[in-house]
Amino acid sequence: MELILILLLLGTLHLVAPDAQGDALFELRTSLKASPDQLTDWNQNQVNPCTWSKVSCDSNNNVFSVSMSFMGFTGTLSPRIQVLSRLTILSLQGNQITGGIPEEYGNLSSLTMLDLESNQLNGQIPSSLGNLKNLQFLILSQNNLEGPIPESLSSLPNLTSILLGSNNLSGEIPDHLFQLSKFNFTGNRLNCGFNNTHPCASTSGDSSKKSKAGIVIGVIGGVLSLLLVGCLVLFLWRGRHKGYKREVFVDVAGEVDRRIAFGQLKRFAWRELQLATDNFNERNVLGQGGFGKVYKGVLGDNTKVAVKRLTDYESPGGDAAFQREVEMISVAVHRNLLRLIGFCTTPTERLLVYPYMQNLSVAYRLREIKPGEAVLDWMTRKRIALGTARGLEYLHEHCNPKIIHRDVKAANVLLDEDFEAVVGDFGLAKLVDIRKTNVTTQVRGTMGHIAPEYLSTGKSSERTDIFGYGIMLLELVTGQRAIDFSRLEEEDDVLLLDHVKKLEREKRLDAIVDRNLSKNYNMGEVEMMIKVALLCTQGSPEDRPAMSEVVRMLEGEGLAERWEEWQNVEVTRRQDGRLEFKNQKALLTSYPFDLVPSYAINFAELIAIFLFFKERRHEG
């Protein structure tokens, strides 16, 4: 019975676990034989692949686009990506991919575009592609595909374009495919062309008419271009002589070109940020989170900036409400908080502009540094811990209304040129009035950093930030991620917090510390930081210290008393927990999971079951 329950649990977790997407994509990377210098940010141990290059996700962290064209891949297609149930675009054009198209691709039920053009694919086109009821564009030209075109493709209700030219296909072409707005079957041995009723490629009108129309359009276009250039030169000349500045980029309908008096805060024009980021080029992406992507940019005066393009921002009051929130953010000024330079609004866009942090984030320095880059030494990690605590203390206790961050983690702590900690992304958190309870409809944050009460109730407070800060301290000490499924291979805890708790109980502090420090640290200071982290991550939010108290403990005041008090409470809690565990053991082991569909088991139940088996393993 226990074995069946464990297998059921693992199977259910596989269906819902956020790492299933990452595992599938990493398998695709491996099967395509990506070189070591390609897709270097695809980390197999990262739970959420939404920050990876060439991958796009929706607001719920579902992968909807994978685009890797002209990258020189020589491997094969992995069938495992069938688990990407929300994938709408798969583009691998212009590589040297061999082998066949997996039948499993017919399970990508959300797919609207499949582009595998200009590869070396062979075998037949799978008939399972006829299951892709949302497919609009099927592009398989310039491969070595053979056999007939599956009849099932003619039943796709949304298909508008099918390009199969330059393959080794043969046989009949389903009549319905000739009715599509765009088709190309040239370069095959199919029933189309001179001796058949249907042409091999779609056409649109007489060529002579098109030529004449092209000439007319060309002449008109040339005249209009000359007029446009002349007007632009005249405009710039007048601007220069009237003392206008370079802020003339107002080319988005509805954008208001005005400057507002928020101290040094500047309202940028859309075109200005578009130019600074090279039209928001993917090569300039510094990172991506739940609120949108961050792009590196260079302004006209050569100032380097980071531009956050919000993709999940809804302001009920429109532009005015956004400005009020920006104004509140701008007054939160502290040496350990990321300063807001300016913003930009259009009817469809919200952008925030920050200084560029040349040393990137703590997460990058802990786990993603390139060869030759310096590892964070212990003294720097101590400064980061204290600086981050001071920044959060300011947000919680000196801002009115106070600001709750809601996603405190190493990736959101940036490092300036002197490696001083600068808390970022706090401006995107909910601004909480101290007289109200903040209940959200969508939990913000990153798994492994989210406080248990926030996950279960949706209520965030400064105590949820303190929990995230405690996890960040553990990241600093260990160099590891908050969740790491690779630890399962060693029969260890997936959650970093549980992993550290176990080693701390066993008094194996050396096994906790980041190996990159090469034993260059003070064990007393390590022990202090771990104790502060464990106090910050207590299950009950009321038991966690305030950030002002955390600052004092890191400075050497009051930790011993608080730790002793917590130890006494923890012993009692463990005894009560063992009794409750024994009372629930029979209930859990007799629960009829085999009668319940896996999708009906919610996340809280999964966590409860996971903790049950983890506790049983520890008891054994």
Side-chain angles (χ1 to χ4, degrees):
M1 181 62 181
E2 293 177 12
L3 179 59
I4 294 174
L5 280 173
I6 294 173
L7 292 175
L8 175 63
L9 172 63
L10 292 176
T12 309
L13 283 173
H14 177 73
L15 288 174
V16 301
D19 67 310
Q21 296 186 116
D23 288 346
L25 288 172
F26 199 84
E27 175 64 29
L28 177 64
R29 178 188 186 275
T30 302
S31 66
L32 290 175
K33 296 184 179 179
S35 62
D37 60 344
Q38 290 179 317
L39 308 177
T40 54
D41 59 341
W42 285 36
N43 189 320
Q44 190 175 17
N45 296 324
Q46 186 170 338
V47 174
N48 189 343
C50 293
T51 58
W52 295 356
S53 59
K54 312 299 182 181
V55 175
S56 298
C57 296
D58 60 21
S59 59
N60 295 319
N61 288 331
N62 294 310
V63 174
F64 71 81
S65 174
V66 178
S67 182
M68 298 186 289
S69 301
F70 302 101
M71 296 186 68
F73 297 137
T74 59
T76 59
L77 297 172
S78 168
R80 192 170 177 183
I81 63 169
Q82 65 173 316
V83 303
L84 304 178
S85 59
R86 299 300 178 87
L87 187 67
T88 60
I89 297 174
L90 177 60
S91 178
L92 295 167
Q93 173 193 13
N95 289 287
Q96 301 173 45
I97 302 171
T98 60
I101 302 173
E103 287 277 351
E104 290 83 356
Y105 282 21
N107 297 327
L108 296 168
S109 56
S110 299
L111 205 62
T112 61
M113 180 168 121
L114 178 61
D115 186 355
L116 303 174
E117 184 179 23
S118 298
N119 281 287
Q120 298 176 21
L121 296 169
N122 53 42
Q124 297 190 6
I125 299 173
S127 59
S128 62
L129 297 186
N131 299 327
L132 304 178
K133 302 305 180 184
N134 292 305
L135 193 65
Q136 299 177 34
F137 306 95
L138 179 60
I139 308 171
L140 304 176
S141 306
Q142 300 181 48
N143 278 287
N144 300 316
L145 298 170
E146 57 190 19
I149 297 174
E151 183 69 32
S152 60
L153 297 183
S154 63
S155 63
L156 294 176
N158 294 302
L159 192 64
T160 61
S161 176
I162 182 168
L163 306 180
L164 305 178
S166 301
N167 278 286
N168 296 319
L169 301 172
S170 58
E172 299 290 319
I173 300 175
D175 285 342
H176 180 74
L177 298 182
F178 290 110
Q179 301 173 21
L180 301 179
S181 60
K182 188 173 183 180
F183 60 85
N184 188 341
F185 307 117
T186 60
N188 289 285
R189 293 177 285 116
L190 295 163
N191 63 325
C192 61
F194 294 112
N195 300 322
N196 290 278
T197 307
H198 300 290
C200 287
S202 54
T203 58
S204 57
D206 182 75
S207 60
S208 61
K209 292 181 181 179
K210 287 194 292 183
S211 299
K212 292 178 182 178
I215 294 173
V216 173
I217 292 172
V219 171
I220 295 174
V223 173
L224 289 175
S225 298
L226 288 173
L227 289 174
L228 182 62
V229 171
C231 290
L232 181 60
V233 171
L234 178 62
F235 181 77
L236 293 175
W237 181 83
R238 290 181 61 188
R240 185 176 300 169
H241 284 76
K242 288 187 178 182
Y244 284 3
K245 295 183 179 180
R246 189 170 171 269
E247 298 165 0
V248 296
F249 308 104
V250 185
D251 65 346
V252 177
E255 182 179 11
V256 182
D257 183 29
R258 64 182 182 275
R259 301 294 178 261
I260 51 179
F262 291 169
Q264 298 299 313
L265 199 61
K266 176 182 178 182
R267 176 190 283 273
F268 287 89
W270 164 262
R271 180 63 174 161
E272 196 170 0
L273 299 183
Q274 193 178 30
L275 289 173
T277 59
D278 190 17
N279 196 22
F280 299 98
N281 195 306
E282 289 295 309
R283 292 194 301 270
N284 290 327
V285 172
L286 295 172
Q288 178 176 339
F291 292 99
K293 291 184 178 179
V294 182
Y295 299 82
K296 180 180 179 180
V298 181
L299 300 177
D301 60 359
N302 289 324
T303 301
K304 292 182 180 179
V305 293
V307 180
K308 178 174 280 291
R309 190 178 187 182
L310 305 183
T311 57
D312 191 24
Y313 183 89
E314 295 182 4
S315 181
D319 190 58
F322 180 74
Q323 288 184 31
R324 284 195 299 273
E325 290 198 22
V326 167
E327 182 177 18
M328 296 177 77
I329 295 167
S330 68
V331 298
V333 179
H334 187 275
R335 65 176 294 181
N336 296 115
L337 297 179
L338 187 62
R339 178 174 59 88
L340 184 65
I341 295 176
F343 68 101
C344 170
T345 63
T346 78
T348 58
E349 296 276 0
R350 299 285 189 269
L351 301 102
L352 298 173
V353 184
Y354 298 99
Y356 174 67
M357 295 284 115
Q358 67 183 52
N359 285 312
L360 303 178
S361 69
V362 172
Y364 174 86
R365 289 291 164 183
L366 288 176
R367 295 183 289 267
E368 302 172 30
I369 58 173
K370 297 178 175 59
E373 292 182 329
V375 173
L376 289 178
D377 59 40
W378 179 247
M379 291 298 295
T380 302
R381 298 189 196 207
K382 279 178 30 185
R383 285 207 326 271
I384 291 170
L386 186 56
T388 304
R390 286 172 174 162
L392 291 173
E393 178 193 13
Y394 180 85
L395 291 178
H396 292 176
E397 302 176 27
H398 300 286
C399 288
N400 186 20
K402 63 186 172 184
I403 298 177
I404 309 302
H405 192 293
R406 292 201 290 174
D407 197 13
V408 179
K409 58 182 179 179
N412 282 336
V413 178
L414 308 178
L415 298 171
D416 66 12
E417 62 275 10
D418 299 319
F419 286 89
E420 289 291 336
V422 180
V423 179
D425 260 9
F426 69 88
L428 304 182
K430 189 73 173 176
L431 296 168
V432 183
D433 190 295
I434 58 174
R435 296 164 295 179
K436 298 178 182 178
T437 299
N438 178 33
V439 180
T440 64
T441 56
Q442 180 180 0
V443 174
R444 298 282 188 186
T446 305
M447 291 306 299
H449 300 262
I450 302 176
E453 73 277 7
Y454 185 25
L455 189 64
S456 60
T457 67
K459 294 181 180 180
S460 64
S461 68
E462 64 271 27
R463 303 291 173 168
T464 59
D465 278 0
I466 293 165
F467 183 95
Y469 173 80
I471 300 296
M472 191 219 72
L473 283 185
L474 297 183
E475 289 185 274
L476 274 174
V477 173
T478 66
Q480 300 179 34
R481 296 184 183 279
I483 294 181
D484 189 346
F485 286 91
S486 67
R487 282 194 286 263
L488 280 176
E489 300 174 2
E490 303 172 1
E491 291 294 318
D492 216 330
D493 290 291
V494 170
L495 298 178
L496 178 59
L497 177 58
D498 290 342
H499 177 65
V500 171
K501 278 183 176 180
K502 184 181 75 172
L503 293 176
E504 192 277 332
R505 283 196 300 266
E506 297 170 354
K507 305 302 181 186
R508 296 169 54 203
L509 295 184
D510 279 333
I512 293 175
V513 186
D514 188 354
R515 295 176 182 174
N516 288 327
L517 287 171
S518 302
K519 298 189 180 299
N520 294 318
Y521 52 84
N522 182 299
M523 182 52 72
E525 293 172 345
V526 168
E527 185 175 4
M528 177 198 70
M529 198 175 292
I530 290 172
K531 287 180 177 179
V532 173
L534 295 181
L535 290 173
C536 289
T537 52
Q538 295 179 81
S540 173
E542 293 79 14
D543 293 339
R544 298 170 201 154
M547 285 311 305
S548 55
E549 189 176 353
V550 170
V551 170
R552 290 197 298 272
M553 287 191 291
L554 289 175
E555 291 176 337
E557 180 183 343
L559 175 59
E561 297 84 356
R562 189 69 186 255
W563 180 255
E564 184 178 358
E565 177 186 339
W566 177 71
Q567 287 289 83
N568 294 332
V569 172
E570 190 70 4
V571 169
T572 305
R573 185 174 294 153
R574 279 192 201 135
Q575 292 172 348
D576 294 341
R578 289 193 188 97
L579 178 61
E580 183 181 357
F581 171 74
K582 290 177 181 178
N583 291 336
Q584 292 181 355
K585 188 177 293 186
L587 175 63
L588 280 169
T589 53
S590 61
Y591 193 87
F593 289 108
D594 53 328
L595 301 180
V596 182
S598 59
Y599 56 80
I601 302 176
N602 63 33
F603 188 78
E605 289 171 330
L606 288 175
I607 292 296
I609 299 167
F610 175 79
L611 293 175
F612 167 77
F613 284 111
K614 186 188 72 171
E615 186 71 24
R616 169 169 290 185
R617 189 191 73 197
H618 286 169
E619 278 198 342

PDB file of all heavy atoms in Angstrom, residues 28-42:
ATOM      1  N   LEU A  28      15.235  18.463 -24.814  1.00  0.00           N
ATOM      2  CA  LEU A  28      15.288  18.940 -26.201  1.00  0.00           C
ATOM      3  C   LEU A  28      16.664  19.512 -26.514  1.00  0.00           C
ATOM      4  O   LEU A  28      17.237  19.243 -27.578  1.00  0.00           O
ATOM      5  CB  LEU A  28      14.211  19.997 -26.424  1.00  0.00           C
ATOM      6  CG  LEU A  28      14.190  20.648 -27.813  1.00  0.00           C
ATOM      7  CD1 LEU A  28      13.875  19.622 -28.896  1.00  0.00           C
ATOM      8  CD2 LEU A  28      13.181  21.794 -27.867  1.00  0.00           C
ATOM      9  N   ARG A  29      17.212  20.303 -25.587  1.00  0.00           N
ATOM     10  CA  ARG A  29      18.556  20.873 -25.777  1.00  0.00           C
ATOM     11  C   ARG A  29      19.585  19.770 -25.977  1.00  0.00           C
ATOM     12  O   ARG A  29      20.458  19.852 -26.844  1.00  0.00           O
ATOM     13  CB  ARG A  29      18.920  21.725 -24.571  1.00  0.00           C
ATOM     14  CG  ARG A  29      20.313  22.345 -24.623  1.00  0.00           C
ATOM     15  CD  ARG A  29      20.647  23.007 -23.280  1.00  0.00           C
ATOM     16  NE  ARG A  29      21.899  23.729 -23.335  1.00  0.00           N
ATOM     17  CZ  ARG A  29      23.094  23.194 -23.156  1.00  0.00           C
ATOM     18  NH1 ARG A  29      23.191  21.878 -22.920  1.00  0.00           N
ATOM     19  NH2 ARG A  29      24.194  23.929 -23.206  1.00  0.00           N
ATOM     20  N   THR A  30      19.472  18.702 -25.168  1.00  0.00           N
ATOM     21  CA  THR A  30      20.420  17.592 -25.257  1.00  0.00           C
ATOM     22  C   THR A  30      20.273  16.854 -26.581  1.00  0.00           C
ATOM     23  O   THR A  30      21.273  16.545 -27.246  1.00  0.00           O
ATOM     24  CB  THR A  30      20.201  16.618 -24.087  1.00  0.00           C
ATOM     25  OG1 THR A  30      20.358  17.330 -22.850  1.00  0.00           O
ATOM     26  CG2 THR A  30      21.196  15.472 -24.139  1.00  0.00           C
ATOM     27  N   SER A  31      19.030  16.565 -26.976  1.00  0.00           N
ATOM     28  CA  SER A  31      18.817  15.788 -28.202  1.00  0.00           C
ATOM     29  C   SER A  31      19.216  16.577 -29.438  1.00  0.00           C
ATOM     30  O   SER A  31      19.627  15.994 -30.444  1.00  0.00           O
ATOM     31  CB  SER A  31      17.347  15.350 -28.301  1.00  0.00           C
ATOM     32  OG  SER A  31      16.505  16.467 -28.472  1.00  0.00           O
ATOM     33  N   LEU A  32      19.116  17.907 -29.367  1.00  0.00           N
ATOM     34  CA  LEU A  32      19.526  18.741 -30.513  1.00  0.00           C
ATOM     35  C   LEU A  32      21.044  18.886 -30.594  1.00  0.00           C
ATOM     36  O   LEU A  32      21.550  19.443 -31.567  1.00  0.00           O
ATOM     37  CB  LEU A  32      18.888  20.129 -30.398  1.00  0.00           C
ATOM     38  CG  LEU A  32      17.374  20.204 -30.620  1.00  0.00           C
ATOM     39  CD1 LEU A  32      16.869  21.612 -30.341  1.00  0.00           C
ATOM     40  CD2 LEU A  32      17.010  19.779 -32.033  1.00  0.00           C
ATOM     41  N   LYS A  33      21.761  18.406 -29.579  1.00  0.00           N
ATOM     42  CA  LYS A  33      23.223  18.485 -29.513  1.00  0.00           C
ATOM     43  C   LYS A  33      23.705  19.939 -29.507  1.00  0.00           C
ATOM     44  O   LYS A  33      24.608  20.325 -30.269  1.00  0.00           O
ATOM     45  CB  LYS A  33      23.870  17.717 -30.669  1.00  0.00           C
ATOM     46  CG  LYS A  33      23.592  16.221 -30.632  1.00  0.00           C
ATOM     47  CD  LYS A  33      24.321  15.484 -31.746  1.00  0.00           C
ATOM     48  CE  LYS A  33      24.048  13.976 -31.694  1.00  0.00           C
ATOM     49  NZ  LYS A  33      24.719  13.251 -32.772  1.00  0.00           N
ATOM     50  N   ALA A  34      23.088  20.741 -28.646  1.00  0.00           N
ATOM     51  CA  ALA A  34      23.538  22.124 -28.505  1.00  0.00           C
ATOM     52  C   ALA A  34      24.969  22.135 -27.987  1.00  0.00           C
ATOM     53  O   ALA A  34      25.332  21.349 -27.110  1.00  0.00           O
ATOM     54  CB  ALA A  34      22.621  22.880 -27.547  1.00  0.00           C
ATOM     55  N   SER A  35      25.780  23.015 -28.516  1.00  0.00           N
ATOM     56  CA  SER A  35      27.178  23.094 -28.095  1.00  0.00           C
ATOM     57  C   SER A  35      27.274  23.733 -26.709  1.00  0.00           C
ATOM     58  O   SER A  35      26.325  24.386 -26.253  1.00  0.00           O
ATOM     59  CB  SER A  35      27.978  23.921 -29.107  1.00  0.00           C
ATOM     60  OG  SER A  35      27.485  25.244 -29.174  1.00  0.00           O
ATOM     61  N   PRO A  36      28.399  23.562 -26.008  1.00  0.00           N
ATOM     62  CA  PRO A  36      28.526  24.094 -24.639  1.00  0.00           C
ATOM     63  C   PRO A  36      28.312  25.602 -24.536  1.00  0.00           C
ATOM     64  O   PRO A  36      27.911  26.095 -23.488  1.00  0.00           O
ATOM     65  CB  PRO A  36      29.962  23.714 -24.242  1.00  0.00           C
ATOM     66  CG  PRO A  36      30.282  22.519 -25.092  1.00  0.00           C
ATOM     67  CD  PRO A  36      29.576  22.757 -26.396  1.00  0.00           C
ATOM     68  N   ASP A  37      28.590  26.345 -25.622  1.00  0.00           N
ATOM     69  CA  ASP A  37      28.415  27.786 -25.563  1.00  0.00           C
ATOM     70  C   ASP A  37      27.037  28.237 -26.039  1.00  0.00           C
ATOM     71  O   ASP A  37      26.790  29.431 -26.188  1.00  0.00           O
ATOM     72  CB  ASP A  37      29.505  28.488 -26.388  1.00  0.00           C
ATOM     73  CG  ASP A  37      29.475  28.073 -27.866  1.00  0.00           C
ATOM     74  OD1 ASP A  37      28.839  27.045 -28.179  1.00  0.00           O
ATOM     75  OD2 ASP A  37      30.087  28.770 -28.693  1.00  0.00           O
ATOM     76  N   GLN A  38      26.141  27.284 -26.280  1.00  0.00           N
ATOM     77  CA  GLN A  38      24.776  27.620 -26.672  1.00  0.00           C
ATOM     78  C   GLN A  38      23.820  27.363 -25.508  1.00  0.00           C
ATOM     79  O   GLN A  38      23.989  26.405 -24.755  1.00  0.00           O
ATOM     80  CB  GLN A  38      24.329  26.785 -27.882  1.00  0.00           C
ATOM     81  CG  GLN A  38      25.035  27.145 -29.186  1.00  0.00           C
ATOM     82  CD  GLN A  38      24.553  26.269 -30.332  1.00  0.00           C
ATOM     83  OE1 GLN A  38      24.392  25.070 -30.179  1.00  0.00           O
ATOM     84  NE2 GLN A  38      24.336  26.882 -31.487  1.00  0.00           N
ATOM     85  N   LEU A  39      22.827  28.223 -25.376  1.00  0.00           N
ATOM     86  CA  LEU A  39      21.794  28.062 -24.348  1.00  0.00           C
ATOM     87  C   LEU A  39      22.420  27.840 -22.974  1.00  0.00           C
ATOM     88  O   LEU A  39      22.001  26.983 -22.201  1.00  0.00           O
ATOM     89  CB  LEU A  39      20.869  26.889 -24.698  1.00  0.00           C
ATOM     90  CG  LEU A  39      20.246  26.910 -26.108  1.00  0.00           C
ATOM     91  CD1 LEU A  39      19.405  25.650 -26.329  1.00  0.00           C
ATOM     92  CD2 LEU A  39      19.405  28.161 -26.310  1.00  0.00           C
ATOM     93  N   THR A  40      23.432  28.640 -22.668  1.00  0.00           N
ATOM     94  CA  THR A  40      24.168  28.453 -21.416  1.00  0.00           C
ATOM     95  C   THR A  40      23.330  28.767 -20.183  1.00  0.00           C
ATOM     96  O   THR A  40      23.673  28.340 -19.079  1.00  0.00           O
ATOM     97  CB  THR A  40      25.419  29.360 -21.407  1.00  0.00           C
ATOM     98  OG1 THR A  40      25.022  30.714 -21.660  1.00  0.00           O
ATOM     99  CG2 THR A  40      26.404  28.922 -22.477  1.00  0.00           C
ATOM    100  N   ASP A  41      22.238  29.527 -20.362  1.00  0.00           N
ATOM    101  CA  ASP A  41      21.385  29.843 -19.215  1.00  0.00           C
ATOM    102  C   ASP A  41      20.299  28.796 -18.986  1.00  0.00           C
ATOM    103  O   ASP A  41      19.468  28.943 -18.097  1.00  0.00           O
ATOM    104  CB  ASP A  41      20.745  31.222 -19.395  1.00  0.00           C
ATOM    105  CG  ASP A  41      19.909  31.316 -20.662  1.00  0.00           C
ATOM    106  OD1 ASP A  41      20.104  30.488 -21.571  1.00  0.00           O
ATOM    107  OD2 ASP A  41      19.060  32.226 -20.759  1.00  0.00           O
ATOM    108  N   TRP A  42      20.299  27.714 -19.773  1.00  0.00           N
ATOM    109  CA  TRP A  42      19.351  26.621 -19.547  1.00  0.00           C
ATOM    110  C   TRP A  42      19.913  25.734 -18.448  1.00  0.00           C
ATOM    111  O   TRP A  42      20.740  24.866 -18.689  1.00  0.00           O
ATOM    112  CB  TRP A  42      19.138  25.821 -20.830  1.00  0.00           C
ATOM    113  CG  TRP A  42      18.285  26.514 -21.850  1.00  0.00           C
ATOM    114  CD1 TRP A  42      18.249  27.843 -22.118  1.00  0.00           C
ATOM    115  CD2 TRP A  42      17.366  25.899 -22.754  1.00  0.00           C
ATOM    116  NE1 TRP A  42      17.365  28.101 -23.126  1.00  0.00           N
ATOM    117  CE2 TRP A  42      16.806  26.924 -23.548  1.00  0.00           C
ATOM    118  CE3 TRP A  42      16.958  24.590 -22.988  1.00  0.00           C
ATOM    119  CZ2 TRP A  42      15.867  26.683 -24.539  1.00  0.00           C
ATOM    120  CZ3 TRP A  42      16.039  24.347 -23.978  1.00  0.00           C
ATOM    121  CH2 TRP A  42      15.482  25.378 -24.735  1.00  0.00           C
TER     122      TRP A  42
END
